[in-house]
């Protein structure tokens, strides 16, 4: 019975104790309690109520012993195991029914014992059967020996599960092989398509590169032709004025030298433009130098006023300093000249035409704003104007704004264009303010 309780807790009952001792008197003996007191044993197994009887005779020793995991709370006698039938009377097959009935009647009529035990009718021996089966003893001794049949009976669910897993693995392997073949074929087809696309891509890239080279040459030629008109026009005007002075017999050397100095400046500017175009071909210009944008705008206004004196009264400026930005002075002047020139041409036929040039610092940025009150008033015209190589002028090439956008991009500036209500245009270029020791953020 105690070994059965040990087995219920999941332990091996026959290897749980290092040694099991039995007293000659069996479960009635009080000697086992002496073994416990002397430390010769760890636990003892007694018949139910034997411990309570012992405490009645030795009340001082109640604190020395305790019942291990007691069951049946409220019972007179404590116990650690389930209850099983004790003494059992049975009859053989040769016993007559009359004698069995007589003995049974006599036993049931016996009075209680001093320990309050009586005889009764035991009809359920399943607990005894389960105990033998748990311990694999008695009629279940055969359970200690493994046979194929017993193994199959006990583990058939796991065997079926294993067979199902093997079958599933085989099917998965077959399906995986099929998928590998399909994917391999798809991969080969994709690789052939990729090779074909790469070949076409190389051909297209070669064509685009050729077109870009032609476009670059055309753009450089256009920039040169577009920008050289201004200094050459100024030089022509100065030469014409010089010729008039000579024809009029002007002998003032200071005036003559002044005109020659102006011609020299325009010649230097033309040379700078030529060098700039050459620089585009050879290498990238440096755009990391501090440039006072107000000075650039003032110089651009002066250059345009000299080349076209009739427009000087149409330009007003509001230039605030300091307005340092990081970039290339000549490129920024080229950007400003193109924007001012376009604005002036837009108001040329308007007697009240006005072009305003403004430079100011706002929220850590430097804003170059050029506005006019020209004829342009529709958003559709604005889209056409803002397209590369498109123009609203009859004889325009459409490259002015393309140059402006290119210079703005190379200086990491943001350029915006909007309608100046009720009509006209506003161009605003937003530059990052120059800070000492701070780069442009990316390599030019």
């Amino acid at each position: 019975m105690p070994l059965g309780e040990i087995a219920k807790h999941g332990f091996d009952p026959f290897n749980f104790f290092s040694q099991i001792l039995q007293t000659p008197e069996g479960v009635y003996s009080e000697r086992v309690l002496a073994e416990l007191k002397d430390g010769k044993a760890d636990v003892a197994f007694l018949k139910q109520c034997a411990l309570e009887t012992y405490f009645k005779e030795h009340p001082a020793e109640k604190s020395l012993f305790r019942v291990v995991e007691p069951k049946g709370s409220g019972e007179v006698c404590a116990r650690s195991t389930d209850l099983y039938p004790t003494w059992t009377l049975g009859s053989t097959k040769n016993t007559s029914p009359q004698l069995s009935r007589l003995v049974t009647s006599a036993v049931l009529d016996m009075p209680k014992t001093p320990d309050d035990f009586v005889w009764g009718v035991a009809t359920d021996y399943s607990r005894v059967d389960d105990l033998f089966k748990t311990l694999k003893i008695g009629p279940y001794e055969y359970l200690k020996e493994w046979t194929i049949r017993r193994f199959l009976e006990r583990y058939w669910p796991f065997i079926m599960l294993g067979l199902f897993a093997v079958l599933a693995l085989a099917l998965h392997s077959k399906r995986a092989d099929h998928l590998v073949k399909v994917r391999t074929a798809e991969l080969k087809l994709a690789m052939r398509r990729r090779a074909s696309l790469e070949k076409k891509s190389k051909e297209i890239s070669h064509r685009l590169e050729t077109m870009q080279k032609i476009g670059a040459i055309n753009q450089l030629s256009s920039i040169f032709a577009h920008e050289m008109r201004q200094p050459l026009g100024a030089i022509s005007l100065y030469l014409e004025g010089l010729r008039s002075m000579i024809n009029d017999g002007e002998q003032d050397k200071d005036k003559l030298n002044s005109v020659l100095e102006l011609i020299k400046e325009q010649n230097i500017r033309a040379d700078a433009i030529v060098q700039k175009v050459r620089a585009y071909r050879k290498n990238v210009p440096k755009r990391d130098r501090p440039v006072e944008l107000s000075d650039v705008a003032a110089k651009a206004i002066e250059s345009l006023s000299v080349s076209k004196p009739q427009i000087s009264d149409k330009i007003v400026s509001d230039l605030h300093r300091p307005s340092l930005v990081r970039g290339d002075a000549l490129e920024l002047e080229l950007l400003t000249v193109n924007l001012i020139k376009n604005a002036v041409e837009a108001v040329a036929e308007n007697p009240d035409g006005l072009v305003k040039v403004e430079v100011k610092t706002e929220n850590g940025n430097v804003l170059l704003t050029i506005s006019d009150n020209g004829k342009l008033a529709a958003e559709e015209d604005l889209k056409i104007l803002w397209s590369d190589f498109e123009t609203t002028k009859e004889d325009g090439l459409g490259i002015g704004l393309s140059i402006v956008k290119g210079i703005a991009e190379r200086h990491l500036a943001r350029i915006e264009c909007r309608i100046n209500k009720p009509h006209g245009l506003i161009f605003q270029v937003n530059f990052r303010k120059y800070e000492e020791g701070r780069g442009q953020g990316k390599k030019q």
Side-chain angles (χ1 to χ4, degrees):
M1 293 178 192
L3 295 181
E5 293 297 324
I6 292 172
K8 288 179 182 179
H9 284 73
F11 299 101
D12 182 3
F14 299 103
N15 295 301
F16 189 79
F17 299 108
S18 61
Q19 187 180 11
I20 300 178
L21 303 176
Q22 294 186 2
T23 61
E25 296 83 1
V27 295
Y28 294 97
S29 175
E30 296 179 358
R31 186 185 301 178
V32 294
L33 297 176
E35 298 286 340
L36 286 178
K37 287 191 292 184
D38 295 341
K40 296 180 179 179
D42 296 315
V43 293
F45 181 65
L46 297 174
K47 186 175 177 63
Q48 190 178 19
C49 294
L51 182 63
E52 284 76 11
T53 302
Y54 180 81
F55 286 156
K56 290 178 182 180
E57 299 175 358
H58 307 85
E61 297 187 8
K62 281 188 176 182
S63 61
L64 298 179
F65 308 101
R66 69 178 179 87
V67 179
V68 179
E69 294 192 8
K71 295 184 178 182
S73 61
E75 296 180 358
V76 177
C77 299
R79 55 188 174 89
S80 297
T81 69
D82 292 333
L83 293 176
Y84 296 90
T86 56
W87 292 107
T88 303
L89 292 177
S91 62
T92 66
K93 64 181 180 179
N94 296 323
T95 303
S96 65
Q98 293 80 6
L99 179 58
S100 298
R101 188 165 53 250
L102 179 61
V103 172
T104 302
S105 177
V107 170
L108 293 176
D109 289 339
M110 290 180 65
K112 292 182 179 181
T113 65
D115 296 329
D116 205 26
F117 284 99
V118 296
W119 289 94
V121 179
T123 59
D124 186 8
Y125 276 83
S126 60
R127 287 189 177 181
V128 178
D129 188 68
D130 291 340
L131 179 61
F132 287 153
K133 189 174 184 180
T134 299
L135 298 178
K136 300 176 184 178
I137 59 176
Y140 296 98
E141 188 79 25
Y142 73 92
L143 294 177
K144 293 182 179 179
E145 299 178 0
W146 285 96
T147 61
I148 296 177
R149 179 178 179 180
R150 182 166 164 254
F151 178 81
L152 294 176
E153 289 177 351
R154 182 165 184 176
Y155 296 106
W156 72 267
F158 302 99
I159 295 173
M160 293 301 296
L161 183 61
L163 292 175
F164 179 77
V166 172
L167 179 61
L169 184 62
L171 293 176
H172 175 72
S173 177
K174 186 175 181 180
R175 182 175 180 274
D177 291 340
H178 174 70
L179 290 177
V180 168
K181 292 179 181 178
V182 173
R183 296 292 186 273
T184 302
E186 293 176 351
L187 181 61
K188 290 180 178 178
L189 179 60
M191 291 179 67
R192 288 195 295 269
R193 289 178 179 175
R194 180 178 178 180
S196 177
L197 290 174
E198 287 180 350
K199 183 178 179 181
K200 291 181 180 179
S201 177
K202 289 181 180 179
E203 293 176 355
I204 295 173
S205 297
H206 179 70
R207 288 176 57 195
L208 289 176
E209 185 178 354
T210 303
M211 292 173 66
Q212 286 175 354
K213 289 179 180 179
I214 296 173
I217 293 172
N218 291 337
Q219 187 177 17
L220 289 175
S221 301
S222 299
I223 292 173
F224 184 79
H226 188 269
E227 297 306 321
M228 282 296 287
R229 289 180 61 186
Q230 181 181 321
L232 291 178
I235 291 173
S236 297
L237 289 175
Y238 291 140
L239 288 175
E240 188 64 30
L242 184 61
R243 177 180 295 175
S244 298
M245 292 173 64
I246 293 173
N247 291 335
D248 292 340
E250 181 66 50
Q251 300 296 325
D252 191 338
K253 293 183 178 180
D254 292 335
K255 289 184 179 181
L256 294 176
N257 286 329
S258 175
V259 175
L260 291 174
E261 189 65 28
L262 291 174
I263 294 174
K264 181 180 179 182
E265 289 180 3
Q266 293 301 320
N267 184 61
I268 293 174
R269 175 171 174 76
D271 182 69
I273 293 174
V274 173
Q275 296 301 325
K276 179 61 63 176
V277 173
R278 295 182 62 188
Y280 275 103
R281 181 177 62 85
K282 293 182 177 179
N283 49 41
V284 179
K286 294 182 179 181
R287 303 184 183 93
D288 58 351
R289 298 169 182 173
V291 179
E292 179 58 62
L293 193 58
S294 293
D295 293 343
V296 170
K299 189 174 181 181
I301 295 173
E302 181 184 0
S303 299
L304 285 171
S305 298
V306 170
S307 60
K308 295 181 178 181
Q310 69 276 12
I311 69 171
S312 59
D313 58 342
K314 293 183 178 292
I315 302 175
V316 295
S317 61
D318 185 12
L319 309 178
H320 297 269
R321 293 180 176 81
S323 56
L324 285 175
V325 297
R326 188 183 297 273
D328 179 81
L330 184 60
E331 284 191 337
L332 294 178
E333 184 181 351
L334 181 62
L335 176 147
T336 309
V337 165
N338 274 284
L339 290 178
I340 298 175
K341 184 179 178 181
N342 287 341
V344 168
E345 291 174 352
V347 300
E349 298 178 1
N350 184 1
D352 299 324
L354 189 66
V355 175
K356 184 177 180 179
V357 181
E358 182 182 11
V359 175
K360 64 179 180 179
T361 302
E362 185 178 285
N363 298 327
N365 295 323
V366 178
L367 303 180
L368 169 64
T369 306
I370 299 173
S371 59
D372 65 73
N373 56 353
K375 296 180 180 180
L376 198 62
E379 296 291 339
E380 293 75 12
D381 294 334
L382 180 60
K383 293 179 181 178
I384 295 175
L385 179 69
W386 202 232
S387 301
D388 290 339
F389 300 103
E390 295 290 342
T391 181
T392 58
K393 294 180 288 186
E394 296 180 358
D395 58 346
L397 296 177
I399 65 171
L401 290 180
S402 176
I403 296 172
V404 169
K405 287 192 291 184
I407 294 175
E409 290 175 359
R410 289 191 291 272
H411 285 77
L412 303 182
R414 185 176 71 254
I415 184 168
E416 299 176 357
C417 179
R418 60 183 183 272
I419 297 295
N420 185 16
K421 299 297 183 181
H423 53 79
L425 281 178
I426 297 177
F427 277 93
Q428 188 173 76
V429 188
N430 191 330
F431 296 90
R432 292 177 61 183
K433 186 177 180 181
Y434 176 84
E435 295 181 12
E436 189 67 32
R438 183 173 178 180
Q440 285 182 279
K442 71 177 183 178
K443 186 177 181 181
Q444 290 290 343

